[in-house]
């Protein structure tokens, strides 16, 4: 029993060392794949899968809180998988077949926007579902969000 405790303790110590020396990466959204079932605000604006980020005025933490409170009111919302201080991963279900889609948000405080990405988990085409979802979210957001036509 004492040997097992020692090994467990060594395991925690090794994990702590690895965490201490692991490089810290800035949060970012992954680029969309070549398939047309993804839209993202971090894509080049001339690409078909580009969508504008969510613009806001005022403190980023207020906009972040408003976004998190608004998401569950959007049709198809399933869950917030995880949320941090600047990044969030939500899951939505499609209305027809109930497929799960992944939607990510990333606060870009310097530009006063929240970057967005929505991708279907399965299938090649999304028939515009991901773009429509993000535009519904954009329209549902109250101030401090700014709606630019």
């Amino acid at each position: 029993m004492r040997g097992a405790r020692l090994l467990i303790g060594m395991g925690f110590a090794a994990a702590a060392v690895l965490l201490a020396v692991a490089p810290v990466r800035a949060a970012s959204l992954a680029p969309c794949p070549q398939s047309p079932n993804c839209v993202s605000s971090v894509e080049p604006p001339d690409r078909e899968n580009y969508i504008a980020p969510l613009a806001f005025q005022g403190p980023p933490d207020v906009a972040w809180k408003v976004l998190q409170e608004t998401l569950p009111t959007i049709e198809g919302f399933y869950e917030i998988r995880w949320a941090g201080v600047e990044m969030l991963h939500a899951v939505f279900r499609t209305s027809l077949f109930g497929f799960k889609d992944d939607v990510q948000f990333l606060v870009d405080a310097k530009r006063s926007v929240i970057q967005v990405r929505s991708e279907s988990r399965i299938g090649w085409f999304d028939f515009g579902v991901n773009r429509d979802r993000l535009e519904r979210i954009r329209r549902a957001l109250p101030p401090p969000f700014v709606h630019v036509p």
Side-chain angles (χ1 to χ4, degrees):
M1 183 69 171
R2 184 170 185 226
R5 281 191 215 140
L6 179 62
L7 285 175
I8 291 171
M10 288 173 51
F12 284 125
V17 168
L18 286 174
L19 288 174
V21 297
V24 176
R25 292 185 172 200
S28 64
L29 299 178
C32 283
Q34 296 294 358
S35 59
N37 65 352
C38 177
V39 292
S40 174
S41 61
V42 296
E43 293 294 320
D46 61 340
R47 292 215 29 209
E48 194 171 316
N49 56 356
Y50 171 80
I51 190 167
L54 306 173
F56 63 86
Q57 293 177 335
D61 58 326
V62 172
W64 193 235
K65 183 177 183 227
V66 168
L67 173 67
Q68 291 183 58
E69 291 170 350
T70 303
L71 288 178
T73 70
I74 305 299
E75 179 186 350
F77 175 80
Y78 181 70
E79 69 178 345
I80 292 179
R81 176 71 45 100
W82 55 264
V85 294
E86 65 179 9
M87 196 162 183
L88 179 146
H89 179 165
V91 178
F92 283 78
R93 293 189 90 129
T94 62
S95 60
L96 188 57
F97 296 110
F99 297 133
K100 291 181 180 177
D101 295 342
D102 295 299
V103 184
Q104 289 100 28
F105 301 89
L106 175 66
V107 176
D108 184 344
K110 289 181 184 175
R111 295 180 51 210
S112 294
V113 297
I114 295 179
Q115 302 292 351
V116 296
R117 183 179 188 278
S118 183
E119 181 181 15
S120 301
R121 288 185 183 180
I122 59 173
W124 181 261
F125 293 104
D126 72 345
F127 303 101
V129 169
N130 288 296
R131 182 174 302 279
D132 290 345
R133 174 185 301 117
L134 289 176
E135 291 302 340
R136 280 196 326 271
I137 291 169
R138 184 187 316 278
R139 287 189 303 271
L141 289 167
F145 286 91
V146 180
H147 300 281
V148 180

